[in-house]
Amino acid sequence: MLSTAYGNRNEEIKNLFHENGIEFEGKSPRDISFGRGKVYIVDQVNSFAIYARGTETEKDYYLKIFEDYNPLQGSVRRNPEASAPRKCCARWEHSSKDEDIMLQVVKSLLGR
C-alpha cells in the first residue's frame, strides 16, 4: 500500500508498477513515465495527475478512460498545457484507492 507522504511517493509508485509488470521510464525527478513517455503520473501534495500523450483521436479515447475512474470534477483536460498540445490529463484526490486508480488507468491507457 502506498504511504500518505503525498508528493513524495515516486519510489513507492515505481515499485508498485514494477511489482505489476510495468516498468517506468525516463529520468525526471517529478514525473513517472511509462510507454516511452505516452503516459505519466505526477504525485502532488493535494492530488495526483495522470497525463497521456497522443493524437486528437487517441485523446478522445484517453479522456473516456479518465472519466471512467471518477476524477476530480473539472480536472479532465484535453489540452492542459499550451506548449504541449498532444497532452491530456485528469486529477484525482488522494484516497485509499490511489493504487488501484493509478494501475487501472495506466494499464488502460497503455492497452494492457
Side-chain angles (χ1 to χ4, degrees), residues 12 38 53 55 58 87:
E12 292 177 58
K38 178 180 177 179
R53 181 176 293 133
T55 64
E58 288 171 323
K87 289 182 186 177

Side-chain angles (χ1 to χ4, degrees), residues 16 45 49 61 71 91 103-104 106:
L16 169 69
V45 174
Y61 175 71
R91 296 185 183 284
L103 281 169
Q104 296 310 314
V106 170

Side-chain angles (χ1 to χ4, degrees), residues 43-66:
D43 189 46
Q44 300 169 321
V45 174
N46 295 320
S47 63
F48 68 90
I50 300 178
Y51 288 80
R53 181 176 293 133
T55 64
E56 289 302 312
T57 302
E58 288 171 323
K59 288 187 340 185
D60 289 339
Y61 175 71
Y62 301 157
L63 294 171
K64 173 69 174 118
I65 290 170
F66 291 151

Side-chain angles (χ1 to χ4, degrees), residues 2-71:
L2 294 175
S3 73
T4 56
Y6 304 131
N8 296 303
R9 307 181 301 173
N10 281 10
E11 290 305 315
E12 292 177 58
I13 294 168
K14 289 174 187 177
N15 288 334
L16 169 69
F17 279 90
H18 173 75
E19 291 167 4
N20 284 276
I22 302 172
E23 296 300 327
F24 79 96
E25 301 163 351
K27 297 179 181 179
S28 171
R30 184 180 71 112
D31 305 337
I32 305 166
S33 63
F34 305 95
R36 295 182 166 159
K38 178 180 177 179
V39 177
Y40 57 99
I41 295 173
V42 179
D43 189 46
Q44 300 169 321
V45 174
N46 295 320
S47 63
F48 68 90
I50 300 178
Y51 288 80
R53 181 176 293 133
T55 64
E56 289 302 312
T57 302
E58 288 171 323
K59 288 187 340 185
D60 289 339
Y61 175 71
Y62 301 157
L63 294 171
K64 173 69 174 118
I65 290 170
F66 291 151
E67 290 289 350
D68 288 345
Y69 289 92
N70 302 310

